[in-house]
Amino acid sequence: MTDVIRVDPATPDPAALAEAAECLRRGGLVAFPTETVYGLGVHALDRAAVRRLFEAKGRPANDPLIVHVDAVERMEPLVAQVTEPARQLAARFWPGPLTLVLPRSGRVPDEVTAGLNTVAIRVPAHPVARALLTAAGVPVAAPSANLFSRPSPTRASHVLDDLSGRIDLVIDGGPTQVGVESTVLDLSGDVPTILRPGAVSLDMLRAILPHVERRGSDTPSSGALPSPGLLERHYSPRAPLTVYDGSDAVARLLRDACASIAQGQRVGIMVADEDRPALASVEGLAPRPTIVDLGPAHDLARVASRLYAALRELDASGVDRILARGFPGDEGLATAIRDRLRRASAQS
Ligand code: TXA
Ligand code: MG
């Protein structure tokens, strides 16, 4: 049985969180909201509990977890050394959607790091996550609270859809704000490298550390295995997803939608608000397509916050395929949205 506790996202009830914290300390699996997506938390120093978490998610054991703490000082025992760049980035971006990968200390179990000699750490900003971490008083390893390879959960209902009966508790603090997972920055090698793009952009990081690179540019790897969260197929809906980029994206999307509908397929369409008038031509067709608006194309914060919920909504409506427009741009969220859409649409 999975219990659900509802809390006010801004001022969560301390008694409710005390219960959840106790569950974590005893080795339980507790899903909780962060500002990015819901995490599935477990006592990071409890090896048996960490193994149960991998089992509950169906996650391969070679995919390391992010350890969440409530303050920079709590990171110290977990890493070999808090380097100067780490200190500067933490001062600027924590609490917030940035994860730092650093050489680890001996205290962090192999189960958490998948045997790597580095550990990923983040101080989340969501008031519920912060209060929970403080109440628990232990480092909390937390992947996104979805079944492996499914879209990350941005609402408690998404967590329950994937993990009901497999975990102890869900803290329902309403929808998350950012909607895509944290930026993962590897500080363990010579060149600080973004392993996963997120709301903290390359430019924001370069304002603090000028030599940050994106992964994929010709930076020498730190010797670590490729970050498994960077698996090509990830964050995927069940229905195959096709993404349309470029200036004629919506026209091509419409043409393919019409062709699929003509073959009797149930089609899901994911677009921006301003694409809606152009869709009038397919809206009247049978079988009627299911259309989800992500918000105005320029409002990437809104688009990112709705992205995973939209993929899950379309899946739940039973469509045979999903057609989505891409979102151009170079800022952090545009890069993150493109990255997630690309992986969600990759063939297995
Ligand atoms: O926003 C987030 O980061 C959310 C919330 C819950 O905090 N968490 C999350 O966790 O997205 P997860 O497990 O779904 O993704 C963790 C990513 C994976 O890509 C993993 O490979 C990478 O972080 N990672 C973890 N430890 C690492 C390490 N030592 N070296 C390189 N990559 C690491
Ligand atoms: Mg994940």
Side-chain angles (χ1 to χ4, degrees), residues 214-245:
R214 286 192 169 116
R215 182 178 174 272
S217 50
D218 33 278
T219 48
S221 106
S222 58
L225 299 170
S227 192
L230 300 163
L231 285 175
E232 261 319 294
R233 182 171 168 81
H234 209 124
Y235 315 117
S236 308
R238 293 192 179 85
L241 168 69
T242 313
V243 181
Y244 297 81
D245 289 302

Side-chain angles (χ1 to χ4, degrees), residues 46-304:
D46 182 338
R47 292 169 188 271
V50 173
R51 283 196 293 266
R52 282 197 295 279
L53 179 144
F54 275 88
E55 221 164 277
K57 270 194 63 126
R59 179 171 172 122
N62 67 355
D63 192 348
L65 306 178
I66 297 172
V67 179
H68 297 64
V69 292
D70 67 347
V72 190
E73 306 81 68
R74 304 287 178 117
M75 157 164 89
E76 274 158 20
L78 305 173
V79 299
Q81 190 198 345
V82 182
T83 57
E84 194 44 38
R87 207 172 285 289
Q88 287 171 9
L89 292 169
R92 168 68 183 81
F93 296 110
W94 282 354
L98 175 67
T99 295
L100 300 178
V101 174
L102 289 162
R104 67 162 164 149
S105 77
R107 289 196 69 195
V108 185
D110 281 341
E111 282 82 353
V112 169
T113 67
L116 298 178
N117 54 12
T118 54
V119 60
I121 302 194
R122 148 165 139 83
V123 177
H126 196 295
V128 173
R130 302 197 71 187
L132 176 66
L133 290 168
T134 302
V138 296
V140 171
S144 49
N146 51 285
L147 281 174
F148 182 67
S149 96
R150 297 270 300 142
S152 292
T154 54
R155 299 166 187 205
S157 63
H158 300 160
V159 179
L160 289 168
D161 287 343
D162 279 16
L163 297 173
S164 183
R166 304 170 75 94
I167 63 177
D168 296 293
L169 186 65
V170 179
I171 306 176
D172 182 351
T176 63
Q177 280 137 33
V178 179
V180 290
E181 305 82 351
S182 62
T183 305
V184 177
L185 181 70
D186 187 354
L187 290 177
S188 69
D190 296 336
V191 180
T193 305
I194 296 178
L195 300 178
R196 179 175 71 185
V200 175
S201 68
L202 181 65
D203 289 347
M204 290 160 77
L205 292 168
R206 281 186 175 162
I208 309 287
L209 291 187
H211 49 303
V212 173
E213 293 294 340
R214 286 192 169 116
R215 182 178 174 272
S217 50
D218 33 278
T219 48
S221 106
S222 58
L225 299 170
S227 192
L230 300 163
L231 285 175
E232 261 319 294
R233 182 171 168 81
H234 209 124
Y235 315 117
S236 308
R238 293 192 179 85
L241 168 69
T242 313
V243 181
Y244 297 81
D245 289 302
S247 52
D248 60 345
V250 175
R252 286 184 293 122
L253 182 157
L254 279 173
R255 204 184 54 214
D256 288 358
C258 286
S260 292
I261 292 167
Q263 290 166 15
Q265 286 198 313
R266 287 161 305 165
V267 170
I269 299 177
M270 218 162 73
V271 286
D273 288 353
E274 54 267 47
D275 303 328
R276 211 45 204 257
L279 295 184
S281 60
V282 293
E283 258 169 315
L285 300 178
R288 193 186 170 83
T290 308
I291 301 175
V292 178
D293 302 318
L294 292 174
H298 66 268
D299 189 352
L300 293 175
R302 176 111 149 259
V303 171

